mmCIF file of all heavy atoms in Angstrom:
data_model
loop_
_atom_site.group_PDB
_atom_site.id
_atom_site.type_symbol
_atom_site.label_atom_id
_atom_site.label_comp_id
_atom_site.label_asym_id
_atom_site.label_seq_id
_atom_site.Cartn_x
_atom_site.Cartn_y
_atom_site.Cartn_z
ATOM 1 N N GLN A 3 -25.580 45.348 56.087
ATOM 2 C CA GLN A 3 -26.462 46.504 55.732
ATOM 3 C C GLN A 3 -25.707 47.581 54.858
ATOM 4 O O GLN A 3 -26.139 48.059 53.848
ATOM 5 C CB GLN A 3 -27.022 47.244 57.046
ATOM 6 C CG GLN A 3 -28.128 46.459 57.657
ATOM 7 C CD GLN A 3 -28.724 47.130 58.774
ATOM 8 O OE1 GLN A 3 -27.905 47.594 59.725
ATOM 9 N NE2 GLN A 3 -29.945 47.381 58.785
ATOM 10 N N GLY A 15 -27.508 53.361 39.651
ATOM 11 C CA GLY A 15 -26.817 54.206 38.671
ATOM 12 C C GLY A 15 -25.861 55.225 39.371
ATOM 13 O O GLY A 15 -25.316 56.070 38.560
ATOM 14 N N LEU A 30 -16.755 51.574 61.629
ATOM 15 C CA LEU A 30 -16.409 50.222 61.163
ATOM 16 C C LEU A 30 -15.282 50.243 60.096
ATOM 17 O O LEU A 30 -15.041 49.149 59.557
ATOM 18 C CB LEU A 30 -17.663 49.412 60.633
ATOM 19 C CG LEU A 30 -18.659 49.201 61.715
ATOM 20 C CD1 LEU A 30 -19.999 48.350 60.955
ATOM 21 C CD2 LEU A 30 -18.115 48.240 62.779
ATOM 22 N N SER A 33 -10.345 49.662 57.965
ATOM 23 C CA SER A 33 -9.684 48.995 56.870
ATOM 24 C C SER A 33 -10.458 49.204 55.621
ATOM 25 O O SER A 33 -11.199 48.251 54.997
ATOM 26 C CB SER A 33 -9.487 47.574 57.081
ATOM 27 O OG SER A 33 -8.766 46.846 56.091
ATOM 28 N N VAL A 35 -9.933 49.440 52.434
ATOM 29 C CA VAL A 35 -9.671 48.703 51.116
ATOM 30 C C VAL A 35 -10.306 47.359 51.258
ATOM 31 O O VAL A 35 -10.871 46.805 50.322
ATOM 32 C CB VAL A 35 -8.058 48.506 50.995
ATOM 33 C CG1 VAL A 35 -7.796 47.631 49.877
ATOM 34 C CG2 VAL A 35 -7.473 49.789 50.721
ATOM 35 N N ALA A 41 -17.238 45.187 48.527
ATOM 36 C CA ALA A 41 -18.179 45.824 47.700
ATOM 37 C C ALA A 41 -17.920 45.593 46.190
ATOM 38 O O ALA A 41 -18.877 45.498 45.500
ATOM 39 C CB ALA A 41 -18.161 47.539 48.054
ATOM 40 N N ASP A 43 -16.821 42.865 44.957
ATOM 41 C CA ASP A 43 -17.452 41.544 44.635
ATOM 42 C C ASP A 43 -18.938 41.612 44.452
ATOM 43 O O ASP A 43 -19.468 40.726 43.755
ATOM 44 C CB ASP A 43 -17.086 40.512 45.841
ATOM 45 C CG ASP A 43 -17.604 39.223 45.549
ATOM 46 O OD1 ASP A 43 -17.076 38.615 44.422
ATOM 47 O OD2 ASP A 43 -18.203 38.613 46.342
ATOM 48 N N ARG A 47 -20.563 48.179 38.372
ATOM 49 C CA ARG A 47 -19.971 49.413 37.638
ATOM 50 C C ARG A 47 -19.679 50.578 38.560
ATOM 51 O O ARG A 47 -18.883 51.327 38.103
ATOM 52 C CB ARG A 47 -21.083 49.802 36.568
ATOM 53 C CG ARG A 47 -22.474 50.134 37.215
ATOM 54 C CD ARG A 47 -23.372 50.993 36.289
ATOM 55 N NE ARG A 47 -22.865 52.349 36.123
ATOM 56 C CZ ARG A 47 -22.954 53.226 37.140
ATOM 57 N NH1 ARG A 47 -23.356 52.978 38.334
ATOM 58 N NH2 ARG A 47 -22.604 54.460 36.844
ATOM 59 N N GLN A 68 -2.041 47.782 47.918
ATOM 60 C CA GLN A 68 -3.507 47.426 48.243
ATOM 61 C C GLN A 68 -4.468 47.906 47.375
ATOM 62 O O GLN A 68 -5.403 47.227 46.823
ATOM 63 C CB GLN A 68 -3.768 47.919 49.715
ATOM 64 C CG GLN A 68 -3.074 47.208 50.870
ATOM 65 C CD GLN A 68 -3.259 47.910 52.045
ATOM 66 O OE1 GLN A 68 -3.743 49.090 52.186
ATOM 67 N NE2 GLN A 68 -2.901 47.137 53.244
ATOM 68 N N SER A 70 -3.894 48.695 44.101
ATOM 69 C CA SER A 70 -3.741 48.060 42.864
ATOM 70 C C SER A 70 -4.391 46.669 42.898
ATOM 71 O O SER A 70 -5.050 46.356 41.924
ATOM 72 C CB SER A 70 -2.157 47.912 42.628
ATOM 73 O OG SER A 70 -1.650 49.087 42.379
ATOM 74 N N VAL A 75 -9.228 43.304 41.443
ATOM 75 C CA VAL A 75 -10.438 42.613 41.971
ATOM 76 C C VAL A 75 -11.705 43.317 41.393
ATOM 77 O O VAL A 75 -12.605 42.526 41.107
ATOM 78 C CB VAL A 75 -10.483 42.657 43.665
ATOM 79 C CG1 VAL A 75 -11.771 42.216 44.044
ATOM 80 C CG2 VAL A 75 -9.421 41.797 44.105
ATOM 81 N N LEU A 84 -6.588 60.897 48.902
ATOM 82 C CA LEU A 84 -5.510 60.983 49.881
ATOM 83 C C LEU A 84 -5.647 62.187 50.683
ATOM 84 O O LEU A 84 -5.875 63.221 50.101
ATOM 85 C CB LEU A 84 -4.184 60.888 49.169
ATOM 86 C CG LEU A 84 -3.920 59.625 48.223
ATOM 87 C CD1 LEU A 84 -2.812 59.901 47.370
ATOM 88 C CD2 LEU A 84 -3.744 58.389 49.130
ATOM 89 N N SER A 88 -9.001 64.383 59.084
ATOM 90 C CA SER A 88 -9.557 65.329 59.931
ATOM 91 C C SER A 88 -9.661 64.904 61.341
ATOM 92 O O SER A 88 -9.798 65.646 62.305
ATOM 93 C CB SER A 88 -10.950 65.804 59.434
ATOM 94 O OG SER A 88 -11.789 64.747 59.309
ATOM 95 N N ALA A 92 -5.432 58.009 64.515
ATOM 96 C CA ALA A 92 -4.482 57.171 63.921
ATOM 97 C C ALA A 92 -3.028 57.355 64.274
ATOM 98 O O ALA A 92 -2.232 56.430 64.374
ATOM 99 C CB ALA A 92 -4.571 57.076 62.373
ATOM 100 N N PHE A 93 -2.642 58.700 64.571
ATOM 101 C CA PHE A 93 -1.322 58.963 64.925
ATOM 102 C C PHE A 93 -0.810 58.283 66.237
ATOM 103 O O PHE A 93 0.210 57.646 66.106
ATOM 104 C CB PHE A 93 -1.231 60.464 64.901
ATOM 105 C CG PHE A 93 -1.218 61.133 63.523
ATOM 106 C CD1 PHE A 93 -2.509 61.332 62.951
ATOM 107 C CD2 PHE A 93 -0.075 61.359 62.714
ATOM 108 C CE1 PHE A 93 -2.555 61.866 61.605
ATOM 109 C CE2 PHE A 93 -0.195 61.922 61.461
ATOM 110 C CZ PHE A 93 -1.541 62.067 60.916
ATOM 111 N N ASN A 99 4.400 60.661 65.375
ATOM 112 C CA ASN A 99 4.418 61.892 66.090
ATOM 113 C C ASN A 99 3.551 62.917 65.341
ATOM 114 O O ASN A 99 3.730 63.238 64.134
ATOM 115 C CB ASN A 99 5.878 62.436 66.010
ATOM 116 C CG ASN A 99 6.086 63.796 66.648
ATOM 117 O OD1 ASN A 99 5.006 64.544 67.119
ATOM 118 N ND2 ASN A 99 7.364 64.044 66.964
ATOM 119 N N ARG A 130 10.505 57.148 56.174
ATOM 120 C CA ARG A 130 10.452 55.733 55.766
ATOM 121 C C ARG A 130 11.796 55.291 55.130
ATOM 122 O O ARG A 130 12.497 56.094 54.574
ATOM 123 C CB ARG A 130 9.218 55.329 54.864
ATOM 124 C CG ARG A 130 9.504 55.418 53.438
ATOM 125 C CD ARG A 130 8.471 54.954 52.496
ATOM 126 N NE ARG A 130 8.083 53.454 52.578
ATOM 127 C CZ ARG A 130 8.895 52.504 52.245
ATOM 128 N NH1 ARG A 130 10.099 52.585 51.727
ATOM 129 N NH2 ARG A 130 8.339 51.160 52.312
ATOM 130 N N LEU A 133 13.958 53.483 48.949
ATOM 131 C CA LEU A 133 13.736 52.504 47.982
ATOM 132 C C LEU A 133 14.817 52.522 46.863
ATOM 133 O O LEU A 133 15.220 53.591 46.497
ATOM 134 C CB LEU A 133 12.225 52.839 47.277
ATOM 135 C CG LEU A 133 11.074 52.709 48.133
ATOM 136 C CD1 LEU A 133 9.883 53.332 47.528
ATOM 137 C CD2 LEU A 133 10.845 51.294 48.686
ATOM 138 N N GLN A 136 13.593 48.383 44.175
ATOM 139 C CA GLN A 136 12.694 47.287 44.319
ATOM 140 C C GLN A 136 11.396 47.395 43.547
ATOM 141 O O GLN A 136 10.838 48.399 43.402
ATOM 142 C CB GLN A 136 12.521 47.103 45.806
ATOM 143 C CG GLN A 136 13.570 46.972 46.678
ATOM 144 C CD GLN A 136 13.904 48.415 47.426
ATOM 145 O OE1 GLN A 136 13.861 49.324 46.802
ATOM 146 N NE2 GLN A 136 14.159 48.357 48.626
ATOM 147 N N VAL A 143 -5.166 47.606 37.109
ATOM 148 C CA VAL A 143 -5.614 47.376 35.724
ATOM 149 C C VAL A 143 -5.570 48.722 34.932
ATOM 150 O O VAL A 143 -5.188 48.783 33.823
ATOM 151 C CB VAL A 143 -7.137 46.899 35.877
ATOM 152 C CG1 VAL A 143 -7.866 46.917 34.450
ATOM 153 C CG2 VAL A 143 -7.132 45.551 36.575
ATOM 154 N N GLN A 146 -3.306 54.408 34.906
ATOM 155 C CA GLN A 146 -2.856 55.232 36.039
ATOM 156 C C GLN A 146 -4.047 55.214 37.027
ATOM 157 O O GLN A 146 -5.087 55.658 36.694
ATOM 158 C CB GLN A 146 -2.553 56.625 35.465
ATOM 159 C CG GLN A 146 -2.160 57.521 36.509
ATOM 160 C CD GLN A 146 -1.476 58.830 36.037
ATOM 161 O OE1 GLN A 146 -0.589 58.882 35.282
ATOM 162 N NE2 GLN A 146 -2.024 59.895 36.629
ATOM 163 N N PRO A 148 -6.384 56.283 39.580
ATOM 164 C CA PRO A 148 -6.701 57.745 39.968
ATOM 165 C C PRO A 148 -6.435 57.939 41.404
ATOM 166 O O PRO A 148 -6.792 57.221 42.322
ATOM 167 C CB PRO A 148 -8.258 57.638 39.743
ATOM 168 C CG PRO A 148 -8.484 56.548 38.785
ATOM 169 C CD PRO A 148 -7.468 55.498 39.175
ATOM 170 N N GLY A 152 -7.737 64.904 49.164
ATOM 171 C CA GLY A 152 -8.920 65.441 49.949
ATOM 172 C C GLY A 152 -8.343 66.596 50.560
ATOM 173 O O GLY A 152 -7.321 66.547 51.302
ATOM 174 N N GLY A 155 -9.314 73.076 55.082
ATOM 175 C CA GLY A 155 -8.550 74.046 55.864
ATOM 176 C C GLY A 155 -8.219 75.234 54.968
ATOM 177 O O GLY A 155 -9.173 75.936 54.557
ATOM 178 N N VAL A 161 -4.390 74.662 46.313
ATOM 179 C CA VAL A 161 -3.254 74.988 45.449
ATOM 180 C C VAL A 161 -2.339 73.949 45.264
ATOM 181 O O VAL A 161 -1.894 73.515 44.167
ATOM 182 C CB VAL A 161 -2.518 76.266 46.141
ATOM 183 C CG1 VAL A 161 -1.228 76.616 45.132
ATOM 184 C CG2 VAL A 161 -3.422 77.476 45.964
ATOM 185 N N LEU A 165 -1.367 72.217 41.775
ATOM 186 C CA LEU A 165 0.068 72.172 41.251
ATOM 187 C C LEU A 165 0.608 70.865 40.990
ATOM 188 O O LEU A 165 1.452 70.668 40.142
ATOM 189 C CB LEU A 165 1.012 72.879 42.329
ATOM 190 C CG LEU A 165 0.835 74.303 42.465
ATOM 191 C CD1 LEU A 165 1.683 74.935 43.649
ATOM 192 C CD2 LEU A 165 1.219 75.056 41.108
ATOM 193 N N GLY A 167 -1.355 68.500 39.879
ATOM 194 C CA GLY A 167 -2.222 67.952 38.757
ATOM 195 C C GLY A 167 -3.144 66.883 39.313
ATOM 196 O O GLY A 167 -3.563 66.031 38.505
ATOM 197 N N CYS A 168 -3.476 66.865 40.560
ATOM 198 C CA CYS A 168 -4.378 66.039 41.076
ATOM 199 C C CYS A 168 -5.746 66.654 41.390
ATOM 200 O O CYS A 168 -5.901 67.773 41.822
ATOM 201 C CB CYS A 168 -3.875 65.541 42.391
ATOM 202 S SG CYS A 168 -2.435 64.486 42.375
#
Side-chain angles (χ1 to χ4, degrees):
Q3 283 180 305
L30 295 174
S33 185
V35 177
D43 184 55
R47 54 162 294 289
Q68 290 172 345
S70 294
V75 168
L84 304 164
S88 57
F93 289 82
N99 181 348
R130 91 167 304 286
L133 296 169
Q136 304 94 318
V143 171
Q146 184 167 302
V161 170
L165 291 173
C168 293

